[in-house]
Amino acid sequence: MKKHNYKVSRAGAMQPRDYSAEADAAPHHYSENMAAVQRHADDKSHGGNVEDEKFASATVTLNCDVISEDMEIAGFERATLKTALTWVAIVCTAGLLRLVFHWLPQYYLKCTHRRCSLAAADTVLLRDQYFQWFVHLVKTLRATDDQSNKDGLSMSPIGASPYLLIPDSGGRFREVTHIRYFVSKKLKYIWDEDTKSFNCLRSLDTDTPCSYFYGCQGLQEEEQTIRRQVYGVNAIRVRVWPILEILFREVLTPFYIFQVFSCTLWFIDEYVYYAAAIVIMSVASLSFYCYSFRTMQMELRNKIVTHDIVSVWRGGELVETIEAELLVPGDIVIVPHHGCLMQCDAVLLSGNCIVDESMLTGESVPVTKTPLPNPKVDKKQGPLYCIKEHARHTLFCGTKVIQTRYYGNEKVKAMVVRTGFSTSKGELVRSILFPKPMSFKFNRHTYYFILCLSGCAFIGLIYTFIVMSRDNTPVGDMVVRALDLITIAVPPALPMALTIGIVYARQRLKEKDIYCLNQNSVNICGVINAVCFDKTGTLTEDGLDMWGVVPVIDSRWKPIIHNTTEMDQGHIQVCMATCHSLTIIDEELCGDPLDLKMFQSTGWDLEEPAIADSVKFDQMMPTVVRPKKPRFGTSTEDVGQGESTQPEIGIVRQFTFSSSLQRMSVITRALGASNFDLYVKGSPEMIVSLSKPETVPANFAEVLQTYTMQGYRVIAIAHKPLPDLKWVKAMRITREQVEQDLDFFGLLVMENRLKPETTPVIKILNDVNIRTIMVTGDNMLTALSVARECQMVGMYDQVILINATPTGVAYVNSEHVDVEPAAHPKEEVNFLVAGDSSDVRRKDKRYHFAMTGSSFANLRNCHRHLLPKIVQRGTIFARMNPEQKAFLVEHIQELGYNVAMCGDGANDCGALKTAHAGISLSEAEASVASPFTSLQQNIKCVPTVIREGRAALVTSFGMFKYMACYSLCQFTSVMILYNIGCNLTDFEFLWIDLCLLTVLGIFFGRTAAHSVLVKATPPDSLLGATPLLSVLGQMVIMVLVQIVVYFYIQTKSWFTPFVRNHEKEYASYENHAVFIISQFQYIILAFVFSKGAPYRKTILSNYYFVAAMGILTAACIYITLYPMQWIINLLELHPPDSLTFNLQFIAIALVNLAACLICEMFLVEFLFFRILKNKYKVLRRTKHVYETIEKELRNDRSWPPVETSHEHKRKATEEALRSPSSDTAVILGEATKPTHATADLLHRNDNAKPFLRNLSTNSQSLLISPPSGGASVGTSPVNDSAYAETQYQSSL
């Protein structure tokens, strides 16, 4: 049969298996379908070329608009003969082969199935870009099947239907009799006979015209039921495993399988005490694991799973109440007036909704959702619905509808477009359940090292058979002794010992209000060398603060006013009190934080009409604002025509803020006034372009630049009287008719303050060469200013703005210039402005790249070859959406960095989960996605986590070397004694294993982290030259000492050799000598490997460990010099009668200690690590990718090809004018001096004439905007006045 191979290609990164969700992703009755139990390779070259070639023979695409991922897929069908032969092999190996197949299910599939086309496949094998394998059954759903008892398909009996409905393009559904499908990572893929491929089950958010939604009349119960057969229930379910299942899965891991083998062997060999001790510790470890794992699952389920009752419209006046889990795409739900928690993604069809989208954005700012524009009414709207473009008309799952507003008795309706794991909340949960796998070098190398120990055990096994066969030892005893040697060389307690440091680190973190959900992330924190920070709420305070108002009177700037409550009641204060979108919900003033701060700074009160909140939808009764107390001074500017000194202003009409128009406005009327007034606020460039030139100060650009360069949020305000406007006309007039010929009145200056802990923490990280990166959704200039203020960008560092378009990449030079602050800013500082040429590649200056999310997306899609260089020097990433944040973290990781991410919002969840160590400053959804959660709402937790990670990693390193040397040391003792047919006695083993090793191991990791971070990171490779030399050096000393003692005791006159026997009577001088010196060696090894500075405190601070060493050393000395008879009998010792000889054991132990210290501290750490490694390149570790790129950047002074600001503006203008769009506006500016070069270019270009709106010889800003008032691209919202940013984005 011809073999077919298929590639599932979907741009982006697939979220792979999380152990906590393994069973969730697999069919319950097919154990081989567990999600990805093996990462097949550490890099792309480790998967096997044969398999890569097989998977590359043909391709087919799985189309899905919910997630982006790359998978390869192949079809298999059951082969009876192969299955029979495989099970014969399983029986012959006593089930060991089946255990291997449990760990590697893809090989079980290949051994029991044969390859076939996807059309004939009953099982599919998928491999993602992380080389993880997924095995899934292909199921068939028929229309005649009764689905009433199928879990996950219905909450009530639905019986059989005559057909199934599967979605098609255009919102249409077609009837079929059956479907073939499989489920992978919570998404359903159905077979398409037309394309011969598996396609992700589409919803109504794909290829659906907007007109479709207004043509629907709701679903009848029968059709809803039929659709639910295909879509399943509308539920985001997180399965909590039963205790027995968790226990069973953990026991079947290789570690516990080896422990079962070891303990069984020890019980057979009557080594009962230590076997029992290991069993007790293992049971305790398993119990703790099961408890913590199930607790974590339950916490995740409780935070995610919700249940609710919804009302669905069945057409006409019929409204039915059903469970939310029964919803399907196409249902029309009635949003209750008191609000609700959305259980699906739905497009709003009527009424307005005020929504809290903090789950998606991380900011608890109420957002007003409006109905989807009806193409029959508004011809400008595009024909297809896009959930991203129409986000302001979409209610997302997991967001909270605070309130609805509607006309009279009209219901607020929304049509369901996505359900279950396809929703926005479902995507978030999927990213948590299936994160990117973390590959940590230390963890990988532990397996390689264990293989080396296994090799030693194999050599010892052969040696044992040779020696014991020579002595005619019974075969049974030979097998037991040989297998026992394996448990000595590979200690079963090794994995438990490696977690000691992690357990103590988690405990210390908990004491500092930092909680760790994933203990595997603790050690990774020890090698973190790059940290990405969100800005708002992480580096800075959550909200904005009013810094001051800069008035303009008669085209002249007036002194700045900081106390806005003391301002005269003129147009500026009235604009601040009225021009906003605030509303009162449950007797609390709610709205955008900027509007809230602006209004609160006036000291006025807002009063809404005394009607129900839910019907405040275009009501005729206006909102009224008034001062809280009478003022005794009045302004020379009269507000309206009233005589009252205590004005009451009614907000008659509101034109909401539009990011494309960069402004909002309100029509107001003062109590007793005969005319209306228009107040407008928005970005300074936009307001100036709409204002009368004679009202704008000549030095407007310089003053604006003074504030924006310091990172202030600057908003311009303007006013226009409307003397001839009547009430009816005011309700109908368009904003384009009134928002022109304005009087410019000044600037509002607001600041986003840094948290006091931010700058010190950033300085600490910079001082120890940990790279800091800002990843924010805020505007570019604010991000630049915050980066300088917190010292993320040095005072004399330069920043190059990256402007990437599909056709090219521009590098706009920025340099430091001293600008004399105008209007009394905070202080005289260095500002970042676009200027003419400066050598940014001078060796004494470091430059940083800064870019927005759109440029980052263009780099990923069109200029990927430049991405490594730009990411290497990229420090500021602004306007980044959640998906782009996660992609950025991945790209930084690809350079070889170990990345931490610190954020506080649900919009950071993807990046928090993608990073090697995610640190959440929130207890909401972000805490579920993040390995670490800090209850302290600042970034002080970052260096704390890194310090504890370093301490835990060094502890794990020391513990691993200790356990390896312990096993080899004991292995050496046994091998020496095997040579004469002797061995250590059971209680000698017990004294070493239980009293020495266990006690020292427990307290080994209790040494706390050092209080100071250092530049050098601890090693993360066990196979590096330094750790290998350390272990090898110690073992050479230990082996030599044991051999010397073994032969030395034989030189004494009173020595009598051991006589071989089969009664296991091992008491002899040889046994005594080897045991006595080896017990000191275990204490010496613990002392030598328990290092302190620079990553841990001194060993003397670990009181328990020091006390344990002292007590055990004293016990060993006592056993050596003059043990009591019961100790001699218990341990089966044969001590010499000479006290002088016994003192020689103590002397040899001291020499052993001195030799080990010299080896570790001088030969390894000083001579090799500090001297030889720096002298000989061959001894140094392989450079990371980022180190190679950084070296290239330092040496290549011809890159980047930086342009001057004038060159960039001219190129951007030419590009914009080649194909001017009807909905594109471009703001261009001269940053350093007034010039008409750009203006002349516009005037000479015929394409620009229809777009030329305003050009003043005194203006340093040129606005090109379509006369129809189309959308503006490349500009920021109302609070983004960043002048340099608009330059930087001009070519967009």
Side-chain angles (χ1 to χ4, degrees):
M1 180 177 291
K2 183 179 178 181
K3 295 182 179 180
H4 296 267
N5 301 276
Y6 302 88
K7 182 175 181 180
V8 183
S9 177
R10 292 160 63 175
M14 178 178 182
Q15 294 78 15
R17 168 229 184 186
D18 186 347
Y19 193 58
S20 64
E22 189 173 296
D24 253 358
H28 304 305
H29 60 280
Y30 188 52
S31 62
E32 289 71 42
N33 288 3
M34 299 176 186
V37 295
Q38 169 73 14
R39 180 175 183 182
H40 194 55
D42 296 328
D43 52 38
K44 292 184 179 179
S45 63
H46 188 71
N49 294 332
V50 175
E51 290 300 322
D52 291 342
E53 291 174 3
K54 287 181 179 180
F55 269 82
S57 61
T59 63
V60 67
T61 301
L62 294 187
N63 299 312
C64 179
D65 298 316
V66 178
I67 60 168
S68 298
E69 57 190 358
D70 294 320
M71 294 188 300
E72 294 173 338
I73 182 173
F76 288 82
E77 61 182 357
R78 175 74 68 175
T80 306
L81 180 59
K82 293 176 69 176
T83 302
L85 293 176
T86 299
W87 277 100
V88 169
I90 290 173
V91 173
C92 293
T93 58
L96 291 178
L97 182 60
R98 185 64 188 86
L99 186 62
V100 173
F101 285 150
H102 171 76
W103 298 332
L104 304 171
Q106 68 272 20
Y107 291 110
Y108 179 78
L109 179 70
K110 294 176 181 179
C111 290
T112 57
H113 291 65
R114 58 171 171 265
R115 297 285 291 274
C116 66
S117 66
L118 288 179
D122 55 35
T123 308
V124 291
L125 177 64
L126 297 95
R127 187 180 69 179
D128 65 11
Q129 71 268 39
Y130 305 117
F131 290 86
Q132 293 185 124
W133 298 92
F134 302 83
V135 179
H136 299 293
L137 283 177
V138 177
K139 301 179 181 180
T140 301
L141 175 65
R142 293 180 173 82
T144 55
D145 292 344
D146 187 352
Q147 302 295 326
S148 58
N149 295 321
K150 294 282 183 87
D151 180 40
L153 288 176
S154 177
M155 297 298 296
S156 59
I158 60 176
S161 59
Y163 55 85
L164 297 174
L165 291 175
I166 60 174
D168 208 344
S169 60
R172 296 183 298 271
F173 285 77
R174 54 191 175 96
E175 299 179 2
V176 295
T177 58
H178 70 280
I179 61 170
R180 297 176 63 243
Y181 72 95
F182 67 88
V183 178
S184 178
K185 296 185 178 182
K186 302 294 187 180
L187 295 181
K188 181 179 288 187
Y189 297 85
I190 63 175
W191 177 253
D192 190 333
E193 288 291 347
D194 297 331
T195 62
K196 300 297 181 183
S197 64
F198 281 102
N199 299 324
C200 187
L201 181 62
R202 73 165 73 212
S203 299
L204 294 180
D205 60 321
T206 305
D207 298 331
T208 304
C210 293
S211 57
Y212 167 83
F213 299 101
Y214 284 96
C216 295
Q217 298 297 316
L219 299 180
Q220 298 302 314
E221 184 177 5
E222 180 182 359
E223 186 176 359
Q224 181 196 59
T225 300
I226 294 174
R227 290 192 185 186
R228 193 163 60 251
Q229 288 184 274
V230 176
Y231 282 102
V233 294
N234 172 40
I236 301 175
R237 291 176 175 171
V238 177
R239 180 171 173 259
V240 177
W241 295 359
I243 294 293
L244 289 179
E245 183 177 353
I246 300 173
L247 181 65
F248 179 76
R249 288 173 178 270
E250 186 66 10
V251 168
L252 288 182
T253 58
F255 160 57
Y256 281 107
I257 291 295
F258 183 67
Q259 277 204 338
V260 170
F261 162 76
S262 301
C263 291
T264 302
L265 181 65
W266 291 335
F267 279 117
I268 293 174
D269 196 31
E270 299 181 356
Y271 185 40
V272 177
Y273 297 103
Y274 186 64
I278 290 294
V279 169
I280 292 172
M281 288 188 291
S282 297
V283 169
S285 176
L286 280 170
S287 301
F288 175 77
Y289 171 80
C290 292
Y291 170 77
S292 59
F293 186 81
R294 184 175 170 86
T295 300
M296 183 181 66
Q297 281 193 328
M298 294 178 67
E299 181 181 356
L300 178 63
R301 182 193 62 181
N302 294 339
K303 286 191 175 183
I304 288 174
V305 177
T306 58
H307 301 279
D308 204 353
I309 302 296
V310 296
S311 298
V312 294
W313 183 49
R314 301 296 192 191
E317 298 297 325
L318 180 59
V319 176
E320 182 180 347
T321 300
I322 63 173
E323 293 186 33
E325 293 187 348
L326 301 181
L327 292 175
V328 295
D331 271 326
I332 295 180
V333 297
I334 307 298
V335 184
H337 67 85
H338 54 76
C340 64
L341 185 67
M342 290 301 299
Q343 303 294 321
C344 60
D345 287 350
V347 58
L348 192 60
L349 301 180
S350 63
N352 281 9
C353 291
I354 301 175
V355 185
D356 178 4
E357 291 190 333
S358 59
M359 193 278 293
L360 298 178
T361 65
E363 298 179 5
S364 299
V365 179
V367 178
T368 300
K369 299 286 186 174
T370 58
L372 180 73
N374 190 343
K376 297 178 181 179
V377 177
D378 188 354
K379 300 297 183 181
K380 296 179 184 178
Q381 292 294 327
L384 294 180
Y385 168 74
C386 175
I387 203 163
K388 290 184 178 180
E389 293 182 6
H390 297 93
R392 62 182 299 181
H393 313 298
T394 304
L395 305 175
F396 293 101
C397 181
T399 61
K400 184 177 181 181
V401 178
I402 302 173
Q403 192 179 90
T404 63
R405 296 183 173 179
Y406 48 88
Y407 287 108
N409 296 323
E410 182 181 2
K411 293 180 175 62
V412 179
K413 299 175 184 176
M415 178 179 287
V416 178
V417 292
R418 299 192 302 194
T419 59
F421 281 96
S422 298
T423 63
S424 54
K425 182 179 178 180
E427 293 176 33
L428 171 63
V429 176
R430 282 175 16 85
S431 70
I432 296 172
L433 296 178
F434 308 103
K436 178 184 176 182
M438 290 295 135
S439 178
F440 187 36
K441 190 183 295 184
F442 175 80
N443 294 337
R444 297 199 308 270
H445 288 181
T446 55
Y447 296 108
Y448 300 150
F449 214 102
I450 290 173
L451 287 177
C452 295
L453 296 178
S454 302
C456 295
F458 182 73
I459 295 174
L461 187 145
I462 296 175
Y463 173 79
T464 301
F465 276 115
I466 294 174
V467 171
M468 291 191 172
S469 61
R470 182 189 62 192
D471 299 334
N472 298 320
T473 304
V475 176
D477 290 345
M478 282 177 32
V479 171
V480 172
R481 293 278 73 80
L483 295 177
D484 186 43
L485 205 62
I486 297 177
T487 66
I488 293 173
V490 185
L494 177 61
M496 284 193 296
L498 293 180
T499 63
I500 291 294
I502 296 174
V503 170
Y504 283 120
R506 291 180 67 181
Q507 182 179 347
R508 290 192 295 267
L509 287 171
K510 186 177 181 180
E511 293 172 357
K512 298 173 183 176
D513 292 331
I514 302 172
Y515 293 86
C516 176
L517 296 179
N518 183 3
Q519 67 175 21
N520 295 327
S521 299
V522 176
N523 276 346
I524 299 179
C525 292
V527 290
I528 291 296
N529 52 9
V531 184
C532 296
F533 292 97
D534 182 33
K535 185 184 75 66
T536 305
T538 303
L539 298 175
T540 64
E541 301 290 352
D542 282 317
L544 292 167
D545 292 301
M546 177 62 69
W547 188 73
V549 176
V550 187
V552 171
I553 299 178
D554 297 331
S555 303
R556 295 182 182 274
W557 298 105
K558 297 300 178 183
I560 190 166
I561 302 172
H562 290 286
N563 189 355
T564 54
T565 59
E566 300 299 328
M567 291 174 56
D568 291 335
Q569 295 168 358
H571 286 300
I572 294 179
Q573 193 174 55
V574 173
C575 180
M576 294 169 61
T578 59
C579 195
H580 51 71
S581 56
L582 301 177
T583 185
I584 297 177
I585 299 176
D586 295 331
E587 299 183 357
E588 183 178 352
L589 198 60
C590 300
D592 186 271
L594 187 146
D595 286 346
L596 201 56
K597 282 288 184 181
M598 179 186 69
F599 179 77
Q600 290 173 347
S601 68
T602 64
W604 286 36
D605 286 327
L606 182 142
E607 181 181 304
E608 290 190 332
I611 56 177
D613 289 340
S614 58
V615 295
K616 294 174 184 173
F617 187 65
D618 284 6
Q619 69 268 20
M620 298 299 291
M621 298 178 64
T623 298
V624 175
V625 294
R626 62 169 65 89
K628 288 185 178 180
K629 59 183 179 180
R631 300 289 177 81
F632 298 100
T634 57
S635 171
T636 55
E637 308 168 286
D638 293 329
V639 180
Q641 299 178 6
E643 301 292 334
S644 175
T645 60
Q646 180 77 6
E648 291 187 4
I649 312 295
I651 304 174
V652 177
R653 179 87 182 275
Q654 181 186 106
F655 298 108
T656 58
F657 167 73
S658 168
S659 59
S660 60
L661 300 179
Q662 304 176 74
R663 63 185 183 269
M664 76 162 294
S665 60
V666 291
I667 297 176
T668 68
R669 187 172 185 175
L671 180 64
S674 59
N675 67 290
F676 292 91
D677 292 274
L678 177 77
Y679 291 99
V680 187
K681 83 174 192 303
S683 69
E685 295 89 352
M686 177 59 72
I687 299 303
V688 166
S689 69
L690 300 174
S691 300
K692 300 173 184 176
E694 60 271 18
T695 64
V696 180
N699 62 339
F700 165 79
E702 288 91 340
V703 173
L704 172 63
Q705 187 182 84
T706 298
Y707 294 107
T708 56
M709 289 302 136
Q710 295 179 79
Y712 287 119
R713 297 288 187 90
V714 184
I715 302 169
I717 55 178
H719 165 261
K720 179 182 179 180
L722 304 173
D724 300 326
L725 193 65
K726 303 301 181 184
W727 183 274
V728 175
K729 188 175 182 182
M731 295 295 104
R732 298 178 179 177
I733 197 169
T734 63
R735 63 190 310 167
E736 288 80 8
Q737 293 177 280
V738 293
E739 291 176 349
Q740 57 183 335
D741 297 327
L742 307 175
D743 294 325
F744 185 78
F745 270 93
L747 302 174
L748 303 181
V749 184
M750 310 187 80
E751 64 177 343
N752 190 196
R753 294 176 182 171
L754 280 177
K755 292 182 178 180
E757 301 85 3
T758 297
T759 302
V761 170
I762 297 297
K763 186 178 186 303
I764 289 173
L765 298 179
N766 288 339
D767 289 344
V768 296
N769 293 337
I770 294 179
R771 185 180 169 194
T772 54
I773 302 159
M774 185 187 300
V775 189
T776 177
D778 212 334
N779 70 79
M780 173 60 73
L781 196 64
T782 301
L784 284 170
S785 176
V786 170
R788 285 200 182 278
E789 189 176 353
C790 71
Q791 300 180 18
M792 191 175 289
V793 173
M795 182 177 295
Y796 300 105
D797 291 353
Q798 294 185 325
V799 177
I800 299 175
L801 305 176
I802 302 296
N803 182 22
T805 64
T807 58
V809 180
Y811 306 88
V812 184
N813 177 29
S814 300
E815 66 175 355
H816 287 289
V817 294
D818 290 328
V819 178
E820 184 66 30
H824 191 62
K826 287 191 286 193
E827 57 181 76
E828 184 174 340
V829 296
N830 288 329
F831 301 111
L832 177 72
V833 298
D836 292 331
S837 63
S838 66
D839 189 0
V840 299
R841 293 172 295 275
R842 281 170 47 190
K843 292 185 178 180
D844 60 338
K845 286 189 176 182
R846 175 175 173 81
Y847 63 89
H848 305 257
F849 288 130
M851 72 195 74
T852 59
S854 57
S855 290
F856 177 72
N858 286 326
L859 284 171
R860 292 187 71 248
N861 298 329
C862 307
H863 312 285
R864 207 173 183 87
H865 63 287
L866 294 174
L867 205 55
K869 287 184 177 181
I870 293 176
V871 170
Q872 170 59 26
R873 284 293 183 93
T875 302
I876 301 158
F877 296 83
R879 298 294 190 208
M880 299 283 282
N881 62 39
E883 185 180 37
Q884 290 170 338
K885 289 183 179 182
F887 285 150
L888 174 63
V889 171
E890 286 188 8
H891 286 299
I892 298 174
Q893 290 172 334
E894 289 172 1
L895 298 182
Y897 284 102
N898 295 297
V899 186
M901 172 70 193
C902 185
D904 69 327
N907 57 330
D908 298 317
C909 283
L912 289 170
K913 200 68 176 178
T914 303
H916 291 103
I919 306 173
S920 169
L921 303 184
S922 168
E923 296 184 70
E925 287 83 359
S927 65
V928 180
S930 176
F932 298 93
T933 300
S934 173
L935 300 185
Q936 299 177 358
Q937 305 299 306
N938 57 67
I939 64 172
K940 283 180 65 177
C941 58
V942 174
T944 301
V945 169
I946 294 176
R947 284 198 306 269
E948 292 295 345
R950 290 183 175 187
L953 181 59
V954 170
T955 299
S956 296
F957 251 89
M959 198 67 196
F960 189 91
K961 291 194 294 183
Y962 176 57
M963 293 295 293
C965 289
Y966 143 77
S967 62
L968 292 176
C969 189
Q970 194 174 75
F971 178 79
T972 302
S973 301
V974 173
M975 294 292 288
I976 291 174
L977 295 177
Y978 271 11
N979 186 52
I980 59 173
C982 188
N983 196 359
L984 296 174
T985 66
D986 287 349
F987 279 96
E988 285 175 339
F989 273 122
L990 193 65
W991 168 253
I992 294 171
D993 294 340
L994 192 60
C995 298
L996 296 179
L997 176 72
T998 305
V999 172
L1000 291 175
I1002 289 174
F1003 298 123
F1004 188 96
R1006 204 173 182 279
T1007 307
H1010 203 281
S1011 59
V1012 178
L1013 281 176
V1014 295
K1015 288 186 178 181
T1017 58
D1020 61 346
S1021 172
L1022 281 171
L1023 301 183
T1026 302
L1028 288 178
L1029 185 62
S1030 174
V1031 172
L1032 183 61
Q1034 299 298 329
M1035 282 314 304
V1036 168
I1037 296 172
M1038 298 301 173
V1039 172
L1040 287 176
V1041 169
Q1042 288 194 33
I1043 292 175
V1044 167
V1045 170
Y1046 173 76
F1047 285 107
Y1048 179 63
I1049 198 172
Q1050 297 180 30
T1051 64
K1052 299 303 176 180
S1053 58
W1054 38 260
F1055 172 79
T1056 57
F1058 171 73
V1059 178
R1060 299 174 184 271
N1061 61 83
H1062 298 293
E1063 287 77 23
K1064 296 182 181 180
E1065 296 290 340
Y1066 296 138
S1068 63
Y1069 284 121
E1070 296 94 337
N1071 169 282
H1072 182 83
V1074 171
F1075 168 72
I1076 290 297
I1077 198 63
S1078 68
Q1079 65 175 349
F1080 287 106
Q1081 289 181 331
Y1082 301 122
I1083 300 176
I1084 291 171
L1085 287 171
F1087 177 74
V1088 169
F1089 289 139
S1090 182
K1091 296 179 181 178
Y1095 306 114
R1096 303 199 309 171
K1097 291 182 178 180
T1098 174
I1099 187 177
L1100 298 178
S1101 65
N1102 190 346
Y1103 305 118
Y1104 293 94
F1105 184 66
V1106 173
M1109 282 200 302
I1111 294 172
L1112 292 173
T1113 302
C1116 291
I1117 293 174
Y1118 175 75
I1119 293 173
T1120 303
L1121 296 180
Y1122 196 78
M1124 296 179 68
Q1125 187 61 42
W1126 70 270
I1127 295 178
I1128 295 175
N1129 296 336
L1130 181 67
L1131 297 177
E1132 300 181 47
L1133 299 176
H1134 192 224
D1137 293 333
S1138 172
L1139 180 62
T1140 303
F1141 185 82
N1142 289 335
L1143 287 172
Q1144 292 179 15
F1145 279 122
I1146 307 300
I1148 293 174
L1150 291 174
V1151 173
N1152 192 345
L1153 172 62
C1156 289
L1157 289 175
I1158 292 172
C1159 175
E1160 187 71 14
M1161 300 178 67
F1162 178 75
L1163 295 180
V1164 176
E1165 293 186 2
F1166 177 76
L1167 183 61
F1168 179 81
F1169 187 75
R1170 297 185 183 180
I1171 306 299
L1172 296 180
K1173 283 188 72 173
N1174 293 330
K1175 188 174 181 180
Y1176 301 102
K1177 292 183 178 179
V1178 69
L1179 298 177
R1180 301 174 193 169
R1181 63 170 174 79
T1182 306
K1183 285 189 174 182
H1184 293 291
V1185 176
Y1186 68 85
E1187 293 175 311
T1188 304
I1189 296 175
E1190 182 64 28
K1191 184 177 180 180
E1192 292 176 359
L1193 293 176
R1194 289 182 180 276
N1195 295 333
D1196 186 4
R1197 300 188 64 185
S1198 63
W1199 194 90
V1202 181
E1203 301 175 0
T1204 66
S1205 58
H1206 299 302
E1207 292 171 348
H1208 176 62
K1209 284 198 293 289
R1210 177 170 287 277
K1211 288 183 179 180
T1213 305
E1214 290 174 348
E1215 183 177 350
L1217 293 176
R1218 289 192 189 104
S1219 56
S1221 172
S1222 61
D1223 62 351
T1224 301
V1226 181
I1227 297 178
L1228 301 172
E1230 298 297 333
T1232 56
K1233 61 181 180 179
T1235 176
H1236 288 282
T1238 308
D1240 292 341
L1241 175 63
L1242 293 172
H1243 282 297
R1244 290 196 305 268
N1245 193 301
D1246 292 336
N1247 290 333
K1249 292 179 181 179
F1251 300 89
L1252 191 61
R1253 171 173 290 196
N1254 183 31
L1255 177 62
S1256 170
T1257 58
N1258 292 327
S1259 174
Q1260 292 186 329
S1261 173
L1262 178 64
L1263 175 68
I1264 313 170
S1265 180
S1268 60
S1272 171
V1273 177
T1275 58
S1276 32
V1278 63
N1279 53 6
D1280 177 10
S1281 59
Y1283 188 71
E1285 184 185 13
T1286 56
Q1287 272 191 347
Y1288 151 65
Q1289 293 192 1
S1290 58
S1291 64
L1292 298 180

